[in-house]
């Protein structure tokens, strides 16, 4: 295993390769369907347990200076998860392990490239993660001061931060092992990690909240992160054992890692997460409980975005494969479909939250120390946050193909190429512009609107970034048909606005929050489906017509509809 050296500029898109045989397509579709089913089911279970975790936090501790302190410490795992488990680590290691597996098949008698890759990367990763975890723990007082200088109980926040700093090591290992397993087409264990993670937090909350207070949640976070790694070690070791032994002469066709290629990916992930830092920094100067209201509102709002992103999580390999084959048309078509489908899901969820936010918050959180005033404050923030949800989902769709255009690993016999290019940093610049908008709108609105002003800054900033990133895809060579994309988005947006306005009064006459939520949700769903179909949005019209056909199958040939 070697690292890249400077060389000539290589093309971003490789020459087109021979497509897979047609008979492989049904098997591939079946595999993707199974992978989506497993991922969706386990992701829903993990999200459900995460929501239950937030419900217990609200029940036991409400929204006060204690929960504010914990949520400042929560910044550590909240930042480490996307950087070390999800986006950044996956963008780096899935292509690396995939190429190693290809080399294993091409050279069956030499040393195992997969084991070479593990030996070359895992020890350094462990060393870096241990150092980072120790640095965060030692620098916890300074970190808390930077993140929330106006916090009412900084001592509690420092204690919780030192506990949650432990998560950095197991999060990074879990992200590495999960990337390797996905490259081996094993999705069950990686999809289950958030189930065990949140189960551990719930267990500590239930058993330790009386003795440890809010510290029980921090201890649960640390324990859950260790269980994530433990869940993946067994499948990872078995996948290595399936390969051939790593002994023998050195392979003539080894992998070459390009270390500097990881910088734009990591920088984008951290810059995107900086929106949370800004909110908590500015929110720490507001009355106690404000950070908690922002957190609960964000968790509820993001459920719609998470559901939308499951689509591109499963289709991402299709886009990456098309780009690797040099088929820009197929990649463009898939990205356009993903943009439409993700927008349909997230806008339906946004319409529901706009119409039913008070009922949803009351149903989920209003018990114990979480009172009606907390419900009203959280519901108001949800409605403002929801303006930015479509942009959040669209960024999740667009950034995957963007970073897939230039891989982070190559064969040793291929030209080295330029290790980084200016366009590699375009998503970071787009996110930085969005952060400037977030800060500007937040500071301007904070004195007049408080937490609502911070939520408005979040929505404005992320929408700015989404618009810039769409332009970036064009510059990257993925020629989206922008009028077609924006026209589809406009139709879905019109359907969502109509559904939200119709659903808004549906649940208010009902006092029971569960019944009000169900009534409002049904109204929003039916109106969104009707308007989307009438406006010709294919992402809505197709499923609706398929459902109609399923409910009204055609009569057998030779018989009338009445059966005669």
């Amino acid at each position: 295993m070697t690292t890249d050296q400077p060389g000539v500029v290589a093309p971003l898109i490789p020459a087109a390769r021979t497509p897979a045989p047609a008979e492989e397509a049904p098997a591939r579709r079946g595999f993707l369907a199974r992978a989506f089913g497993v991922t969706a089911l386990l992701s829903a279970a993990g999200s459900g347990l995460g929501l239950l975790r937030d419900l217990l936090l609200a029940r036991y501790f409400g929204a006060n200076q204690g929960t504010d302190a914990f949520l400042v410490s929560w910044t550590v795992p909240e930042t480490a998860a996307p950087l070390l488990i999800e986006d950044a680590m996956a963008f780096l290691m899935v292509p690396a392990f995939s190429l190693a597996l290809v080399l294993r098949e091409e050279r069956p008698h030499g040393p195992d490239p997969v084991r070479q890759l593990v030996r070359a990367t895992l020890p350094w990763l462990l060393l870096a993660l241990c150092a980072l975890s120790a640095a965060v723990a030692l620098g916890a007082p300074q970190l808390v001061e930077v993140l929330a200088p106006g916090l009412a109980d900084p001592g509690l926040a420092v204690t919780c931060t030192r506990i949650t700093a432990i998560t950095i090591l197991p999060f990074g290992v879990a992200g590495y092992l999960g990337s390797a397993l996905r490259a081996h087409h094993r999705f069950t264990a990686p999809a289950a990690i958030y189930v065990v993670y949140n189960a551990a937090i719930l267990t500590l909350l239930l058993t330790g909240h009386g003795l440890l207070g809010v510290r029980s949640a921090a201890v649960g976070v640390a324990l859950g992160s260790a269980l994530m790694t433990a869940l993946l070690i067994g499948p990872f070791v078995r996948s290595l054992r399936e390969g051939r032994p790593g002994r023998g002469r050195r392979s003539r066709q080894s992998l070459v890692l390009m270390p500097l290629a990881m910088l734009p990916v990591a920088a984008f992930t951290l810059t995107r997460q900086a929106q949370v830092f800004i909110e908590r920094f500015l929110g720490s100067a507001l009355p106690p409980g404000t950070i908690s209201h922002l957190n609960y509102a964000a968790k509820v709002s993001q459920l719609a975005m998470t559901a939308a992103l499951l689509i591109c999580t499963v289709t991402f390999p299709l886009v990456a494969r098309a780009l690797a084959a040099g088929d820009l048309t197929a990649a463009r078509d898939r990205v356009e479909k993903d943009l439409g489908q993700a927008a349909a899901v997230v806008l339906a969820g946004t319409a529901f939250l706009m119409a039913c936010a008070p009922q949803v918050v009351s149903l989920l959180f209003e018990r114990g120390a979480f009172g009606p005033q907390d419900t009203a404050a959280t519901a108001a923030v949800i409605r403002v946050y929801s303006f930015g949800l479509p942009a959040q989902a669209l960024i999740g769709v667009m950034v995957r193909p963007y970073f897939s255009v230039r891989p982070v690993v190559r064969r040793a016999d291929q030209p080295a190429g330029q290790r980084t290019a200016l366009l590699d940093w375009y998503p970071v610049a787009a996110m930085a512009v969005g952060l400037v908008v977030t800060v500007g709108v937040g500071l301007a609105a904070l004195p007049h609107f408080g937490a609502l002003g911070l939520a408005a800054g979040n929505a404005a900033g992320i929408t700015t970034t989404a618009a810039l990133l769409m332009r970036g895809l064009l510059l990257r060579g993925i020629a989206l048909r922008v009028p077609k994309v924006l026209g589809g988005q406009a139709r879905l947006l019109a359907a969502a606005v109509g559904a939200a306005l119709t659903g808004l009064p549906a649940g208010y006459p009902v006092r029971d929050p569960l019944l009000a939520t169900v009534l409002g949700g049904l109204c929003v769903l039916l109106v969104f489906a009707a308007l989307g179909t009438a406006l010709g949005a294919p992402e809505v019209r197709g499923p609706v017509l398929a459902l109609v056909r399923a409910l009204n199958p055609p009569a057998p040939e030779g018989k009338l509809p009445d059966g005669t």
Side-chain angles (χ1 to χ4, degrees), residues 65 68-70 72 144 148-158 280 284-285 291:
Q65 62 186 30
D68 285 353
F70 167 71
V72 170
V144 169
L151 202 62
D153 191 352
L156 178 59
V158 169
R280 290 179 183 169
S284 65
I291 294 178

Side-chain angles (χ1 to χ4, degrees), residues 22 139 231 268 370 418 429 446:
L231 179 67
F268 172 80
F370 196 97
Q418 189 177 357
L446 188 65

Side-chain angles (χ1 to χ4, degrees), residues 154-182:
L156 178 59
V158 169
T159 299
C160 292
T161 300
R162 283 176 169 154
I163 296 172
T164 57
I166 299 171
T167 63
I168 294 175
L169 174 59
F171 271 14
V173 176
Y176 183 94
L177 302 183
S179 296
L181 290 171
R182 289 189 179 97

Side-chain angles (χ1 to χ4, degrees), residues 335-411:
V335 172
E336 289 179 350
K337 289 179 182 178
D338 289 349
L339 288 171
Q341 292 169 351
V345 174
V346 77
L347 282 171
T350 299
F352 169 68
L353 291 175
M354 287 287 191
C356 306
Q359 295 89 336
V360 170
V361 176
S362 177
L363 174 65
L364 295 177
F365 297 110
E366 193 174 320
R367 56 183 61 84
F370 196 97
Q373 291 183 338
D374 296 316
T375 295
T378 303
V381 174
I382 285 176
R383 282 174 166 159
V384 179
Y385 262 143
S386 295
F387 284 103
L389 287 180
Q392 292 275 12
L394 296 184
I395 288 174
V397 173
M398 291 186 289
V399 76
R400 285 167 167 80
Y402 192 98
F403 284 126
S404 296
V405 170
R406 184 185 291 274
V408 297
V409 65
R410 66 172 179 82
R411 298 170 183 262

Side-chain angles (χ1 to χ4, degrees), residues 9 12 264 402-403 406 418-430 472 475-476:
V9 177
L12 283 177
Y402 192 98
F403 284 126
R406 184 185 291 274
Q418 189 177 357
R419 289 179 293 181
T420 58
L422 189 60
L423 274 179
D424 294 348
W425 293 91
Y426 184 93
V428 182
L475 298 175
R476 196 68 155 171

Side-chain angles (χ1 to χ4, degrees), residues 90-299:
F91 287 140
L92 294 172
M93 295 313 303
V94 169
F97 277 106
S98 298
L99 182 53
L101 289 168
V102 171
L103 292 176
R104 173 191 280 178
E105 295 175 355
E106 291 179 354
R107 293 184 173 268
H109 303 296
D112 186 3
V114 176
R115 297 189 182 193
Q116 288 182 338
L117 179 61
V118 173
R119 286 196 298 267
T121 55
L122 186 55
W124 291 105
L125 177 66
L126 292 175
L127 182 62
L129 292 172
C130 289
L132 183 58
S133 182
V136 172
L138 292 174
Q142 293 76 21
L143 184 60
V144 169
E145 178 64 25
V146 170
L147 292 176
L151 202 62
D153 191 352
L156 178 59
V158 169
T159 299
C160 292
T161 300
R162 283 176 169 154
I163 296 172
T164 57
I166 299 171
T167 63
I168 294 175
L169 174 59
F171 271 14
V173 176
Y176 183 94
L177 302 183
S179 296
L181 290 171
R182 289 189 179 97
H184 284 78
H185 292 172
R186 296 181 178 178
F187 291 89
T188 302
I193 58 175
Y194 284 107
V195 175
V196 299
Y197 174 66
N198 284 313
I201 300 175
L202 286 171
T203 301
L204 266 294
L205 278 174
L206 289 169
T207 59
H209 71 275
L211 178 64
L212 299 175
V214 76
R215 296 177 185 84
S216 60
V219 175
V221 168
L223 175 62
S225 65
L227 293 178
M228 294 168 82
T229 300
L231 179 67
L232 298 179
I233 289 176
F236 175 75
V237 171
R238 287 193 294 273
S239 69
L240 287 183
R241 288 176 177 172
E242 290 177 359
R244 59 183 180 271
R247 297 182 296 273
R249 64 181 180 85
R250 187 177 183 273
S251 173
R252 296 170 52 194
Q253 195 173 25
S254 61
L255 291 172
V256 176
L257 296 178
M258 298 178 284
L260 293 183
M262 71 179 67
L263 295 180
V265 179
F268 172 80
T269 305
L270 288 173
T271 309
R272 187 175 183 182
Q273 191 63 27
Q275 277 202 314
V276 178
F277 304 158
I278 291 171
E279 282 187 3
R280 290 179 183 169
F281 180 86
L282 297 178
S284 65
L286 295 174
T290 299
I291 294 178
S292 298
H293 295 148
L294 290 167
N295 174 73
Y296 294 137
K299 292 294 169 53

